[in-house]
Amino acid sequence: MSEEVKYTEDNIRSLDWKEHIRMRPGMYIGKLGDGSSADDGIYILLKEVIDNSIDEFVMGTGKSIEVSIQGERVIVRDYGRGIPLGKVVDVVSKMNTGGKYDSKAFKKSVGLNGVGTKAVNALSTYFRVESTRDGKSASAEFERGELTNQERLDETSRRKGTKITFIPDDEIFKNFKFRPEYVARMLKYYVYLNPGLSIIYNGEKFFSENGLKDLLGETINESDRLYPIIHLRSEDIEVAITHSKTQYSEEYHSFANGQNTTQGGTHQAAFREAIVKTIREFYGKNYEASDIRKSIVSAIAIKVMEPVFESQTKTKLGSTDMGGDLPTVRTFINDFIGTQLDNYLHKNPETADALQRKIIQAERERKELSGIRKLAKDRAKKANLHNKKLRDCRVHLNDTKKDAYLDSTLFITEGDSASGSITKSRNVNTQAVFSLRGKPLNSYNMSKKIVYENEEFNLLQAALNIEDSMEDLRYNKIVIATDADVDGMHIRLLLITFFLQFFPELIKKGHLYILQTPLFRVRNKKETRYCYTPEERAEALEALGKNPEITRFKGLGEISPDEFVHFIGEDIRLDPIMLDDNMSIEELLNFYMGKNTPDRQEFIIDNLKVELDVVEEQ
């Protein structure tokens, strides 16, 4: 019989604020990550700091914010009122301390939990807060939440406001790197939601006059818009709507109290419902909801009193009421869209005609595909049962754990040996594997019909659960895992083409990645190092001394499951697929997958030279 476990006062331990944050960082900032994903912890830290500066702008002070990121060091400077000097230490180091508890001062603040900067402080190796107001200033410095220095100045010529400097803790955020593309996207959203605000990021200025209309203007190329962007707004709501000529899926950008609610929520659900209801009533036709919303590209932002989010990182709005004397979120949005969108369509008959033609076209295409879709669904179910192309994980979007979806990953790989290695080494709770058979079809310029007729595409679509809506996506990360040779590169390109052609929002929302695996293994009797670049190999050779064993991995199948576990675990290296803001999707696909042109030939030759240089170094 095992010894009885004692439970006494000695088993009870009280953690102070910083210990608790450092022990359970996920409770405060969601997942950690290394910066390869837009929702990784280092960006949440940046967001928590900027949110306070945004609140100052909303309150009517501080029209500009300066953000500097040099390597690992982040500096955010605003020109708001400044933190009351006697509370500079408290507001960044004492839980449940902050101005946002005074609802008169921050009625529709982006956050009311008083945790934000405390979490940044506790999770940083260096943190400095400096406040200036009334010609005086106060500052404090911390290391992992521990106060190391503070000072007061009775006279200063500095402008009023707050300046925060921090360096994320590399013990918690391993191998992290800020990606400028993610930072720029976050800052652009801030200016779209706050017209008149200027944000200067490493010398580049972001500014918006027209709010969500500007967001949609950057999201969808003018030549691809079915009609001019519909822009509607009032005190607590703003929407922008258009339809794409070429896109198949629905695309939504939703925000609540300044937060980018990437997982939607009550406001986005009400918005989708309100559009369908209003358009049916306007045309007097009971059109299918999917036909109305097909190819829609839109954005919605609302402000509610004391918002309720379904996680600390605020990616999904849970509020059902607007607050105060206002109605429910659903009623509020339905009333607004029902009145304003109806008025717009009556005043703009050309837009109304174009939209109706699009709906009728979608209806015709849906009916033409109905038989094929039914057969495809049956094939998908049968294939999943018997062919086992999808080796699923245990965590899905509908899991009772609120953030379970954020942890889920699907690896898309080719060949039995490669998929076998990943399957044996994966985390079965959060990581799934989809096995391709050979190279996928080049889907450029093909219709949606090909997705159902092609077995690989049909099964992949079924595995992702994105046929009807991106809201049903079952995996947060879709990772293309192919060999780093010509064939592997070609498969990557064909898969990216498939997603760009039929599901571009999946890429726009930051769900698609390339798995990086080591090119070399360098080892001696005492140590083994895996090297992803020739530079890392050179460093390993120098560190490990004379005559170490060098292995060149030519394919994923050559890496044993025991080794593979290192490359898809905590130290996984992912390269996100990002779209070039200067090219539309149509231009992008045409350049890479269309007819050969002198420009593409030049591009291939230039990049081939780079690849040859790398090979020579190896």
Side-chain angles (χ1 to χ4, degrees), residues 96-137:
N96 305 316
T97 301
K100 296 180 184 180
Y101 294 102
D102 178 1
S103 61
K104 294 179 181 177
F106 291 97
K107 287 185 178 179
K108 291 163 186 173
S109 169
V110 292
L112 291 170
N113 50 33
V115 173
T117 50
K118 288 86 165 173
V120 182
N121 186 358
L123 300 175
S124 297
T125 53
Y126 176 79
F127 182 92
R128 176 182 170 87
V129 54
E130 182 180 327
S131 175
T132 305
R133 54 191 288 163
D134 304 324
K136 300 177 182 181
S137 74

Side-chain angles (χ1 to χ4, degrees), residues 143-366:
E143 183 177 328
R144 296 185 172 94
E146 198 73 54
L147 181 65
T148 58
N149 185 46
Q150 65 180 119
E151 60 182 82
R152 291 281 295 265
L153 292 176
D154 291 332
E155 291 185 23
T156 179
S157 59
R158 287 192 289 264
R159 290 175 61 188
K160 69 176 182 178
T162 303
K163 181 180 180 180
I164 300 287
T165 303
F166 70 93
I167 300 174
D169 190 344
D170 56 6
E171 290 181 5
I172 294 173
F173 307 99
K174 296 179 180 178
N175 301 314
F176 77 88
K177 179 177 69 173
F178 284 98
R179 293 184 182 264
E181 299 90 345
Y182 287 148
V183 176
R185 182 193 300 171
M186 179 196 300
L187 301 183
K188 285 179 181 179
Y189 282 160
Y190 276 121
V191 298
Y192 293 143
L193 295 168
N194 299 278
L197 170 68
S198 295
I199 298 183
I200 295 89
Y201 167 48
N202 286 353
E204 183 180 0
K205 182 177 179 179
F206 300 124
F207 181 83
S208 170
E209 289 184 355
N210 304 302
L212 295 187
K213 184 178 181 181
D214 291 339
L215 187 158
L216 236 60
E218 184 174 286
T219 299
I220 179 169
N221 192 278
E222 186 174 2
S223 63
D224 191 31
R225 295 174 208 156
L226 184 66
Y227 51 83
I229 295 169
I230 300 171
H231 188 212
L232 311 169
R233 57 182 162 186
S234 69
E235 183 180 353
D236 289 320
I237 185 170
E238 179 183 3
V239 302
I241 305 166
T242 190
H243 276 72
S244 166
K245 294 177 183 176
T246 58
Q247 187 169 312
Y248 288 92
S249 59
E250 303 171 28
E251 180 174 349
Y252 300 94
H253 302 265
S254 66
F255 306 86
N257 290 38
Q259 300 300 307
N260 181 13
T261 44
T262 53
Q263 288 183 268
T266 52
H267 58 324
Q268 184 170 307
F271 180 48
R272 296 176 75 231
E273 175 190 302
I275 288 172
V276 171
K277 184 174 181 290
T278 302
I279 287 176
R280 282 174 175 168
E281 290 175 356
F282 177 82
Y283 295 113
K285 301 278 188 180
N286 192 29
Y287 291 125
E288 283 281 335
S290 60
D291 296 334
I292 293 171
R293 295 193 300 244
K294 180 183 176 183
S295 307
I296 193 172
V297 182
S298 58
I300 178 172
I302 67 167
K303 293 179 181 178
V304 304
M305 294 280 284
E306 300 186 357
V308 176
F309 293 96
E310 293 194 5
S311 70
Q312 169 62 25
T313 51
K314 306 179 181 75
T315 54
K316 187 172 185 179
L317 181 68
S319 297
T320 56
D321 294 314
M322 295 293 292
D325 297 327
L326 294 172
T328 65
V329 169
R330 182 170 178 263
T331 300
F332 178 77
I333 293 175
N334 266 282
D335 289 349
F336 176 80
I337 297 295
T339 301
Q340 298 298 324
L341 180 57
D342 182 80
N343 288 345
Y344 185 94
L345 293 174
H346 274 105
K347 292 176 182 178
N348 296 271
E350 289 184 2
T351 293
D353 289 345
L355 177 55
Q356 188 172 35
R357 287 195 299 272
K358 180 74 172 181
I359 295 169
I360 293 170
Q361 178 188 344
E363 183 179 52
R364 184 169 59 249
E365 290 175 355
R366 175 176 54 82

Side-chain angles (χ1 to χ4, degrees), residues 67-86:
V67 179
S68 170
I69 301 180
Q70 303 298 331
E72 300 174 346
R73 181 180 291 264
V74 179
I75 302 174
V76 178
R77 170 70 155 104
D78 69 44
Y79 297 91
R81 294 164 296 179
I83 302 168
L85 302 187

